[in-house]
């Protein structure tokens, strides 16, 4: 659910919380230390981390664990709950191309307007807004499809009381 709701970083955060809970890692600020494997546990994601050293930043840990998240993402895509990894990058490129083209067209109109001595301040503001919206659309990267969004909404609705419970 973490992957579907908030993406890869959230999914690796959930993995990290589970590794903390089971005594595999210890977090000190932004530093993550991989602890020796507790005797009572089998193989885990911590074993993947152990192969890469003992100390990590959060970003490095996410980078190392990302391949173990990909099968879950691919399964969500096969089940129609999320867009696939390839589709996500294609959507980002398309958004950048569309908004980039619009911004370039606006820039051309600014040049034409300046050459004719026309006021172009409003057009410049709209170009900046277009670029910001385009970058936001490309960066937001929601993974959930319509079916995935409905599943998440149902889960939130069914667990609403637990979310409001005191911690």
């Amino acid at each position: 659910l973490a992957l579907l709701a908030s993406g890869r970083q959230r999914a690796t955060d959930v993995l990290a919380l589970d590794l903390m809970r089971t005594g595999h890692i210890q977090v000190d600020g932004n530093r993550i230390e991989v602890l020796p494997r507790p005797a009572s546990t089998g193989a885990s994601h911590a074993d993947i981390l152990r192969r890469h050293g003992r100390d990590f930043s959060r970003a490095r840990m996410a980078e190392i664990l990302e391949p173990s998240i990909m099968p879950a993402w691919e399964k969500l895509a096969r089940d129609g709950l999320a867009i696939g990894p390839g589709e996500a990058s294609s959507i980002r490129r398309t958004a950048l191309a569309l908004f980039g083209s619009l911004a370039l067209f606006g820039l051309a109109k600014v040049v034409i307007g300046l050459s004719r001595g026309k006021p172009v301040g409003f057009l410049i503001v709209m170009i900046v807004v277009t670029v910001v919206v385009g970058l936001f659309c490309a960066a937001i990267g929601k993974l959930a499809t319509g079916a995935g969004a409905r599943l998440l909404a149902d889960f939130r609705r069914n667990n609403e009381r637990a979310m409001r419970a005191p911690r």
Side-chain angles (χ1 to χ4, degrees), residues 143-158:
L143 299 177
T145 61
R150 285 188 296 279
L151 176 73
L152 287 170
D154 289 345
F155 181 80
R156 287 182 181 125
R157 188 173 39 258
N158 292 338

Side-chain angles (χ1 to χ4, degrees), residues 49-123:
L49 291 174
R50 282 187 193 94
R51 284 185 232 138
H52 294 275
R54 275 188 53 113
D55 290 331
F56 302 101
S57 66
R58 179 176 176 237
R60 177 69 178 136
M61 183 188 70
E63 183 181 304
I64 293 168
L65 291 177
E66 185 167 331
S68 64
I69 291 171
M70 295 306 286
W73 187 358
E74 291 165 354
K75 181 174 179 353
L76 288 170
R78 278 192 311 273
D79 293 345
L81 299 173
I83 57 173
E87 294 169 312
S89 61
S90 175
I91 289 170
R92 285 188 190 94
R93 282 192 306 272
T94 302
L96 286 174
L98 288 173
F99 283 99
S101 299
L102 190 57
L104 287 174
F105 179 73
L107 191 61
K109 295 303 272 181
V110 166
V111 170
I112 291 169
L114 286 174
S115 70
R116 295 181 180 171
K118 303 288 183 181
V120 294
F122 180 76
L123 187 54

